[in-house]
C-alpha cells in the first residue's frame, strides 16, 4: 500500500465543476473562458481563485476573483504560448487571513475544450506530440506523463497512429508495456486508489478495466516482487492485444493489401 | 469548398505539397476533425494530341466516417459510377470524385473500358489521343488518397484527444470518493480515534494508516485478529516528477533523528534508518506513530505487510 499524505488538507476540485474552453484569437493563438462551480465545496468565501495555463516551462496566471464573487479577468489571451501550442490548465483556491497563501483546493492537468468541442465523459490518457525524430517513427516521453511522440515527417502520422492496424499491433503493446513498467517498477506505484488524479493511477485503472487483466500483484504479503510485476505487465499487454484483436486485425490488413 | 491552383501547362500534373495553400489546408483539417465533408475543385490541363491545352476541373469530396474499416472511394463520371476503381485508402475515409466538365468527361470516357467500370491508361482509344494522358489520368485517380495525405499530415504541437478511442478512462474514475473526515488532534492518545483520515490497506485490510498533522500512524485494522509478522514502512517527501522514494535524501529527514519522533505501542522496532522503519507487532492493538515531518510538503508512505504465513521477504 502506498498513500500520499497531504498535511495541509488541500482539497480536490472535481473536474466536472470546471469547464475551460479555448477560442481562436487570430494568428494561431488562443484565448480561453473558464466556467467554475465552486459552491458546495466548503471553501472560504473570500479565498482567492486563480486559473493557470501551463505547458513545459511556459506559465500564465489569471486572477478570477474570490470564491463567493468570481470575476472574469479582462485579459484572457494566452499570449506567451507559441502558435499551435495548446496549454493545460489548473485551478487554485488560495487562502487569505490566517491561511494566507495556503492552497486550499486545486484541480490540475485540465485539458481545455477546443472551439465547438462538446464536453466529453472520457479522459484521454496518451497525448500525442509531433517532432522530428529522424528515421524513428515514434518515441515515448514519460518525463512528466506519458506522451506518444510521432515523427512529424511521417505522412498521415496522426491517422496512422489512430487507425492503422499495423501501428496498433506493432507499436501500442510496447508503448503500453513501457508505461506500465514505469508505473509499477520505476515509480513503485501498485495501488490505483492512491490518488485518482495521478497519471500513474489512471493507467493502472485503465489496465484493470481491460477484460482478462488479473488483479494487481498483491501487497498484503509485502511489496510485490519485480518478477510479479513483470508477469502482471505481460498479462495486461496480452489482454490489451486480445481486446483489440491485434494479430487478427494485422492479418486482415495484410490480406487486404495483398488482395 | 477549397480550390487547388491551376497546374502548369505542358507539364505532368503532380500532387506536390504546395498544391494547396496553408489556409485551405488548415480550414479543411478543422472541418474533417468535426466529421464534416470537405470538397475540393481540382483544376488541371487536358491537351489533345496536336491541340491546345484546355483548362478543366473535377471535384473531390472527403469525409471521415467512424467505424469504416477500410476507406472507400466512389468515382462518378457524367452520372456513371465506375465500380471497378478501388484505390487503397486508409480506414474511416469516405471519398467521392465527380467529373462533370464535358472536356474532362470526354477525356475519361476515352479511357473507360466497355463495361464502364474502370479508367485504363492503355485503352487504345486513349493512349495516343492526349498529351500527358497517362500521368493526367493517374493524377485524377490518385486525387482522394493524395488529398487525404495532405490533410492528414500532422500539424505541429500536441493533440490531447487523438488516441482517446484507444487509451482513455471514464471521467468518473478519477473523481475521488467523498471521505468522512473525523476531527483531528495533534497528539492522539491510545484508544482514541482522532485521525483526520483512515484508509484500509489494499485488499487485505490488516493495517490502517492515519494522517496526523506532520505525521502518520500505522495501526491494526479494527476486527482483524491476526497480527502481522512484520511491517516495513518507507516514507519520502513527494516530488513533482519521478519516484519520491528513489529521490529521497537523508538531508530530507531521517527517522532516527530529530525532529522526527517515533512512538510505539505493542511494537518492536527491528530497524529504523534513514526513511525505512521495520516493526514487529506484538499485540492486536499495535500502533506506531511517526511525527515531525514538514507539514508544508506532501509525504508518500509505503507500507508492506508481511503475514505470518509469508516466507519471502516481500521486498
Amino acid at each position: 500500500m502506498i498513500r500520499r499524505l497531504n498535511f495541509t488538507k488541500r482539497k480536490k476540485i472535481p473536474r466536472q465543476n470546471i469547464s475551460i474552453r479555448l477560442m481562436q484569437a487570430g494568428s494561431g493563438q488562443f484565448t480561453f473562458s473558464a466556467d467554475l462551480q465552486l459552491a458546495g465545496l466548503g471553501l472560504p468565501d473570500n479565498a482567492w481563485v486563480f486559473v493557470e495555463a501551463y505547458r513545459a516551462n511556459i506559465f500564465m496566471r489569471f486572477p478570477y476573483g474570490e470564491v463567493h464573487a468570481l470575476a472574469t479577468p479582462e485579459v484572457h489571451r494566452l499570449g506567451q504560448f507559441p502558435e499551435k501550442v495548446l496549454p493545460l490548465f489548473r485551478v487554485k483556491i488560495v487562502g487569505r487571513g490566517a491561511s494566507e497563501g495556503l492552497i486550499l483546493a486545486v484541480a490540475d492537468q485540465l485539458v481545455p475544450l477546443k472551439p465547438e468541442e462538446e464536453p466529453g465523459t472520457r479522459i484521454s490518457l496518451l497525448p500525442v506530440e509531433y517532432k522530428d525524430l529522424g528515421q524513428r517513427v515514434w518515441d515515448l516521453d514519460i518525463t512528466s506523463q506519458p506522451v506518444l511522440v510521432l515523427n512529424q515527417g511521417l505522412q498521415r502520422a496522426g491517422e496512422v497512429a489512430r487507425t492503422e492496424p499495423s501501428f496498433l499491433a506493432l507499436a501500442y503493446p510496447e508503448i503500453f508495456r513501457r508505461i506500465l513498467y514505469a508505473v509499477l517498477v520505476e515509480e513503485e506505484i501498485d495501488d490505483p486508489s492512491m490518488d485518482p488524479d495521478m497519471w500513474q493511477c489512471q493507467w493502472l485503472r485503465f489496465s484493470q478495466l481491460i477484460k482478462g487483466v488479473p488483479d494487481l500483484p498483491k501487497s498484503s504479503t509485502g511489496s510485490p516482487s519485480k518478477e510479479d510485476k513483470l508477469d502482471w505487465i505481460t498479462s495486461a499487454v496480452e489482454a490489451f492485444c486480445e481486446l483489440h484483436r491485434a494479430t487478427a486485425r494485422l492479418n486482415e490488413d495484410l490480406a487486404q493489401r495483398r488482395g | 469548398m477549397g480550390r487547388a491552383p491551376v497546374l502548369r501547362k505542358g507539364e505532368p500534373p503532380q500532387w506536390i505539397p504546395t498544391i494547396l495553400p496553408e489556409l485551405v489546408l488548415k480550414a479543411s483539417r478543422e472541418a474533417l476533425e468535426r466529421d464534416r465533408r470537405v470538397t475540393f475543385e481540382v483544376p488541371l490541363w487536358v491537351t489533345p494530341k496536336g491541340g491546345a491545352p484546355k483548362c478543366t476541373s473535377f471535384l473531390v469530396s472527403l469525409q471521415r466516417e467512424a467505424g469504416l474499416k477500410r476507406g472507400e472511394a466512389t468515382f462518378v463520371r457524367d452520372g456513371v459510377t465506375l465500380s471497378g476503381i478501388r484505390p487503397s485508402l486508409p480506414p474511416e475515409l469516405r471519398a467521392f470524385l465527380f467529373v462533370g466538365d464535358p472536356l474532362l468527361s470526354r477525356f475519361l470516357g476515352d479511357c473507360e473500358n466497355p463495361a464502364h467500370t474502370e479508367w485504363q491508361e492503355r485503352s487504345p482509344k486513349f493512349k495516343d489521343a492526349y498529351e500527358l494522358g497517362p500521368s493526367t489520368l493517374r493524377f485524377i485517380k490518385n486525387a482522394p488518397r493524395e488529398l487525404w495525405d495532405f490533410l492528414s499530415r500532422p500539424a505541429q504541437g500536441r493533440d490531447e484527444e487523438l488516441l482517446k478511442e484507444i487509451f482513455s478512462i471514464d471521467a468518473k474514475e478519477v473523481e475521488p470518493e467523498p471521505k468522512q473526515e473525523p476531527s483531528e488532534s495533534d497528539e492522539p492518545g491510545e484508544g482514541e480515534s482522532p485521525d483526520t483520515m483512515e484508509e484500509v490497506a489494499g485488499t487485505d485490510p490488516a493495517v490502517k494508516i492515519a494522517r496526523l498533522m506532520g505525521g502518520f500512524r500505522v495501526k491494526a485494522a479494527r476486527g482483524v485478529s491476526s497480527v502481522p509478522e512484520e511491517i516495513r514502512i518507507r516514507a519520502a517527501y513527494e516530488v513533482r516528477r519521478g519516484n519520491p522514494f528513489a529521490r529521497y535524501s537523508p538531508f530530507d529527514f531521517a527517522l532516527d533523528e530529530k525532529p522526527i519522533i517515533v512512538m510505539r505501542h505493542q511494537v518492536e522496532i527491528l530497524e529504523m534508518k534513514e526513511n525505512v522503519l521495520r516493526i514487529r507487532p506484538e499485540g492486536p492493538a499495535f500502533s506506531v506513530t511517526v511525527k515531525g515531518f514538514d507539514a508544508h510538503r506532501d509525504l508518500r508512505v509505503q507500507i508492506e505487510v508481511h503475514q505470518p504465513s509469508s516466507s519471502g521477504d516481500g521486498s
Side-chain angles (χ1 to χ4, degrees), chain B residues 220 225-228 265-267 280-287:
Chain B
S225 55
S226 65
V227 176
H265 176 70
Q266 294 186 0
V267 157
R280 176 176 294 140
E282 295 177 326
F286 76 87
S287 74

Side-chain angles (χ1 to χ4, degrees), chain A residues 1-10 12-16 24 55 84 86 88 90 102 108 111 114-117 120-130 143-145 147-148 150-152 154-159 161-165 168 172 175-176 185-189 191 193-194 196-198 200 202-203 205-206 209 218-225 240 244-245 256-257, chain B residues 22 26 30 33-34 36 64 69-70 88 90-92 145 148-149 152-176 181 184 196-197 199-204 207-216 234 237-246 293-307 310 312-315:
Chain A
M1 172 179 69
I2 298 182
R3 284 293 180 267
R4 176 192 267 181
L5 304 182
N6 153 26
F7 296 129
T8 59
K9 300 187 194 174
R10 187 179 58 250
K12 281 184 181 164
I13 307 170
R15 287 167 184 266
Q16 68 258 27
Q24 297 280 359
R55 170 71 71 199
K84 294 177 182 173
L86 298 179
L88 294 175
R90 67 171 72 95
L102 191 66
D108 201 357
V111 178
K114 292 174 187 164
E116 297 184 33
E117 183 183 355
T121 57
R122 298 192 71 77
I123 294 174
S124 182
L125 297 181
L126 190 60
V128 171
E129 288 186 358
Y130 303 98
T143 311
S144 55
Q145 72 167 111
V147 175
L148 176 62
L150 295 174
N151 192 330
Q152 63 187 18
L154 177 68
Q155 288 197 3
R156 308 189 300 109
E159 284 305 301
R162 198 173 70 88
T163 61
E164 284 289 340
L168 186 144
Y172 287 138
I175 290 166
F176 190 34
V185 179
E186 293 175 358
E187 303 232 1
E188 300 183 62
I189 294 175
D191 183 352
S193 66
M194 178 181 135
D197 261 350
M198 290 174 66
Q200 296 92 334
Q202 292 173 0
W203 275 95
R205 191 76 191 111
F206 170 78
L209 293 170
K218 290 190 178 177
S219 57
S220 58
T221 55
S223 182
S225 67
F240 174 85
H244 291 281
R245 299 175 56 249
Q256 279 183 349
R257 285 169 198 264
Chain B
E22 188 60 33
K26 187 169 181 291
E30 287 174 0
E33 280 175 10
R34 292 172 204 150
R36 291 182 183 161
R64 176 174 286 162
K69 288 187 177 174
R70 192 179 183 195
S88 170
E92 300 194 355
R145 174 78 197 210
W148 181 253
D149 280 354
S152 303
R153 201 156 287 162
Q156 290 178 343
R158 178 165 165 131
D159 191 331
E160 296 283 344
E161 309 280 317
L162 183 77
L163 304 178
K164 205 172 184 176
E165 291 169 26
I166 304 170
F167 298 108
S168 65
I169 55 173
D170 197 300
K172 289 175 189 165
E173 299 284 347
V174 304
E175 298 299 348
E181 297 205 355
E184 179 185 4
T196 56
M197 182 172 69
E199 298 180 64
V200 175
T203 53
D204 185 4
V207 299
K208 286 184 175 180
I209 179 171
R211 180 186 62 192
L212 308 172
M213 181 53 69
F216 60 88
R234 206 159 50 132
Y237 287 124
E238 275 291 353
V239 290
R240 203 162 181 79
R241 290 175 186 169
N243 181 349
F245 300 115
F293 295 100
D294 180 355
H296 294 100
R297 301 174 70 178
D298 289 359
L299 189 74
R300 197 180 290 192
V301 180
Q302 182 187 50
I303 300 173
E304 300 171 9
V305 180
H306 298 248
Q307 297 291 1
S310 173
D313 64 10
S315 57

